[in-house]
Amino acid sequence: MKSIKKIICIAMALCICLGFTACHKKNETAVKAGSLKFTSGYYACVLFFTDSQARTKVQTELSDKGESTENIDYYKQKIDGKSYEKWVKDETINTIKKIAACKLYCEEKKLDLGDTETQMKSYAEYYWDQGYSAVLTENGVSKETYVKYMTDLSYEELYFKNVFGADGEKAITEEQLKEELSKNYAIADMLDVDFTDLSDEEKNAKTEQLNGYLEDLTKGKRTFEEIYHEYNGDEHEDSAEEEEQEKPLDSHATFIGNSETDYSNDYFDEIYAMKTGEVKIIDKKDNAGKILVVKKDVIEDPYYLTTYDSVLRHAVADEDFDKLLEEYQKTFDFKEYTSATNNFKVKKIYYPETNA
């Protein structure tokens, strides 16, 4: 399961000009799940974002294979062994089932979104005003429906927290979170030196400078703080707002993760293998530069365990949550009214700039 933050990120980021040609009756029921009814407009909204997600998925897969991502005929592509259209259709229905399951669970447990509901409504209304109004209205989606959809997405995280949160029924322990943090993440002071557009003479000068820094750090003559500001300039003074925010013990530390995380770093494996306190110069790929690295201990600073609590919990428990969600979906009846949903064809979603 992708966390709600990822889903919202996709929904907010993909502000693309698509349009349906289908018409539908106001408040027409397209899907019924237990006691919940989802209108044709709601179905159109989910289909809209699912198609956007599918296009991104295709582009990523082609790019990973070294193939061109220009002038893609999406309808000739396959996703997870399915035709493009079938994947979008199936995933739209699966998404609505998951949304329904999360809402029904929260109703059953009498869980309330609280301030999150107000925040999500404001968030959705902001993006509606920033450009979604024209796009989604053209696609048969009203402002009310879009705001409802974005708010509904929050029930997934509420469900997750009730089970795997700090006070949840199957709470992830601090030991489990620390294990996840220490196995897949790291922090380090990193001074990144870019060789782009530098002459060989300039590259040699930068290398010599870094070697000097390495020696000073190794011998304890100077701190990374001193070296960092010598290289980058004057120290930054925090604003009043920044002063009140929780901060890491080392303001220069960079939080990185392995390739399976959202904080993936090309040099993670090499940095992770270093000992705490070890200083090293890493050569960047393709002679693009060098990085001066001081390895730190991510567990020693409580900031990371607190700040990335949700990320760590999801990493530990998402598979188990998926299973719970799948089982919960079996507890209620689900019906798709094809007389309504068949009005919305994947191939009728278009990009005006390429279909004008």
Side-chain angles (χ1 to χ4, degrees):
M1 180 208 74
K2 292 184 177 179
S3 71
I4 187 63
K5 291 181 180 179
K6 290 184 180 180
I7 297 172
I8 292 173
C9 183
I10 291 172
M12 295 305 187
L14 295 173
C15 189
I16 52 182
C17 294
L18 301 171
F20 291 120
T21 58
C23 297
H24 60 85
K25 299 176 183 178
K26 186 176 181 180
N27 297 324
E28 174 188 39
T29 299
V31 172
K32 190 172 184 294
S35 60
L36 302 176
K37 292 182 179 179
F38 297 87
T39 65
S40 294
Y42 197 102
Y43 177 86
C45 186
V46 179
L47 189 66
F48 172 89
F49 288 111
T50 303
D51 183 77
S52 301
Q53 182 184 358
R55 287 172 182 257
T56 300
K57 193 175 180 70
V58 167
Q59 292 166 11
T60 300
E61 290 179 355
L62 290 175
S63 179
D64 288 345
K65 292 189 290 188
E67 298 181 22
S68 174
T69 56
E70 295 183 6
N71 302 317
I72 301 171
D73 186 343
Y74 291 99
Y75 311 117
K76 289 184 179 180
Q77 304 298 319
K78 286 193 173 184
I79 301 178
D80 299 335
K82 295 181 180 180
S83 69
Y84 181 89
E85 291 178 81
K86 181 169 175 53
W87 188 91
V88 172
K89 165 71 177 178
D90 289 350
E91 192 62 23
T92 297
I93 292 298
N94 288 337
T95 298
I96 295 176
K97 281 184 178 179
K98 288 180 180 180
I99 289 172
C102 293
K103 289 193 71 174
L104 289 169
Y105 173 88
C106 291
E107 285 182 5
E108 178 187 332
K109 299 293 184 179
K110 295 180 170 54
L111 303 176
D112 188 81
L113 288 175
D115 292 340
T116 300
E117 183 172 5
T118 302
Q119 292 168 3
M120 285 308 303
K121 284 182 178 179
S122 297
Y123 201 38
E125 287 173 354
Y126 171 78
Y127 276 90
W128 179 269
D129 293 338
Q130 291 300 307
Y132 268 98
S133 55
V135 178
L136 288 178
T137 299
E138 184 180 354
N139 285 275
V141 181
S142 68
K143 177 180 180 179
E144 180 183 4
T145 298
Y146 171 64
V147 172
K148 179 178 175 58
Y149 164 70
M150 291 303 298
T151 304
D152 284 350
L153 291 176
S154 300
Y155 284 100
E156 184 177 344
E157 188 66 11
L158 186 59
Y159 185 172
F160 181 89
K161 285 183 178 179
N162 191 61
V163 179
F164 298 107
D167 299 316
E169 300 169 0
K170 300 180 180 180
I172 304 301
T173 66
E174 184 174 315
E175 288 70 26
Q176 288 175 292
L177 296 176
K178 285 183 176 180
E179 181 181 4
E180 175 66 24
L181 183 62
S182 62
K183 282 176 58 178
N184 299 304
Y185 299 91
I187 57 171
D189 289 333
M190 302 168 67
L191 185 62
D192 193 324
V193 177
D194 187 12
F195 280 0
T196 304
D197 299 327
L198 296 186
S199 65
D200 289 342
E201 183 178 351
E202 290 171 323
K203 291 177 183 179
N204 290 335
K206 290 285 187 182
T207 299
E208 185 176 343
Q209 184 180 21
L210 280 183
N211 286 333
Y213 289 159
L214 175 67
E215 183 177 355
D216 286 349
L217 286 167
T218 302
K219 293 182 177 180
K221 291 182 177 180
R222 286 198 288 174
T223 64
F224 183 84
E225 172 86 11
E226 294 170 330
I227 288 171
Y228 179 89
H229 290 296
E230 176 183 302
Y231 188 84
N232 290 293
D234 295 336
E235 294 187 26
H236 166 73
E237 292 187 8
D238 290 341
S239 64
E241 183 179 348
E242 288 174 324
E243 284 287 351
E244 295 178 358
Q245 295 175 349
E246 185 178 3
K247 294 178 289 188
L249 298 177
D250 182 351
S251 63
H252 297 299
T254 300
F255 182 70
I256 60 175
N258 65 32
S259 59
E260 300 301 316
T261 71
D262 289 337
Y263 300 88
S264 175
N265 183 282
D266 289 340
Y267 307 98
F268 175 82
D269 290 341
E270 192 168 354
I271 294 172
Y272 186 81
M274 294 169 62
K275 297 178 181 179
T276 299
E278 182 180 352
V279 186
K280 185 176 183 179
I281 294 176
I282 294 177
D283 293 321
K284 297 171 70 173
K285 297 176 182 177
D286 302 318
N287 195 32
K290 294 178 181 291
I291 309 172
L292 177 66
V293 178
V294 182
K295 174 73 178 295
K296 312 301 284 286
D297 188 340
V298 71
I299 297 297
E300 283 187 358
D301 189 342
Y303 169 85
Y304 296 98
L305 196 63
T306 301
T307 302
Y308 298 97
D309 179 88
S310 179
V311 172
L312 299 172
R313 286 184 192 278
H314 278 284
V316 173
D318 269 352
E319 288 188 11
D320 290 336
F321 183 67
D322 280 344
K323 293 175 183 176
L324 282 179
L325 201 53
E326 188 175 330
E327 286 301 311
Y328 194 81
Q329 289 178 43
K330 297 176 183 178
T331 65
F332 58 84
D333 294 328
F334 185 90
K335 180 175 176 59
E336 175 189 355
Y337 295 90
T338 55
S339 59
T341 60
N342 283 346
N343 286 324
F344 302 94
K345 307 293 185 182
V346 176
K347 281 191 174 181
K348 289 185 179 179
I349 302 173
Y350 69 97
Y351 289 87
E353 64 269 22
T354 58
N355 292 276

